Amino acid sequence: MLRRLALTAVVPLAVLATAVPTATATASGPASTGPVPAAVPAAVPTSGPFAAARPTLGPLPMPLPLPGFLEGGEGTGAGEADEARTRLTVSVENTGVPGADGTFELECGPTGGTHPEGQAACDRLAEAGATRAGRQELFRETPEGTMCTMIHGGDATARIVGTWEGRAVDTTASRRDGCEIARWNSLVPVLPDVR
């Protein structure tokens, strides 16, 4: 076993050594009239098990970071690309808050659309996206069978549709019980604060 490990470590070195061509250098002697090529020995084995193995290797490939090609030709960094892919349509009804009801467009990276609190909403989405739990939980609906307090938080309802950091979103929210109130509040200011 130990011999096999030692052989495994030697083989890559021998392969690399065979890839180095014999270089020539110039030397001048007292009897010569000019430079004379002199052979410089290469690290190529001439006897033993590696003598026959002389693969022809060209230059070793270098990995190059090419984010522009990976992001559809755009030259943006990963954070900018994620933000730019956030486009949501937020529809809100029955809040009882003046100016809060309606359908609003929200775009992040750069902030745009008709959402009344666009920058704050984009900041909230970025904050949630920065944590793994936030990415998994932000738009997830309350699972069936979850025990929730029977507190009625009002008749407000909302639907959010679009993409967030490149992921499809299609969710509804209400304030019908404690779980839904907590979920609504976690989405403020994407959804209006109706407390």
Side-chain angles (χ1 to χ4, degrees), residues 7 11 20 22 59 63 69 73 91 118 131 150 160 180 182 187:
L7 189 58
V11 170
V20 177
T22 304
F69 293 132
S91 301
T131 65
M150 298 308 295
I160 304 171
E180 285 297 298
L187 285 164

Side-chain angles (χ1 to χ4, degrees), residues 70-163:
L70 299 176
E71 294 292 337
E74 299 292 325
T76 59
E80 294 172 18
D82 285 345
E83 269 192 310
R85 294 184 297 173
T86 297
R87 289 185 177 85
L88 298 172
T89 301
V90 182
S91 301
V92 183
E93 297 178 344
N94 303 320
T95 62
V97 177
D101 290 356
T103 300
F104 309 101
E105 300 296 324
L106 176 64
E107 295 179 14
C108 299
T111 303
T114 58
H115 195 284
E117 294 186 52
Q119 187 58 56
C122 287
D123 291 346
R124 172 65 185 120
L125 293 173
E127 175 189 336
T131 65
R132 182 176 180 181
R135 285 192 302 272
Q136 293 175 347
E137 301 293 325
L138 187 63
F139 292 108
R140 191 175 74 120
E141 295 186 16
T142 305
E144 289 292 322
T146 302
M147 303 251 330
C148 302
T149 59
M150 298 308 295
I151 300 171
H152 184 68
D155 296 326
T157 59
R159 182 166 185 204
I160 304 171
V161 179
T163 57

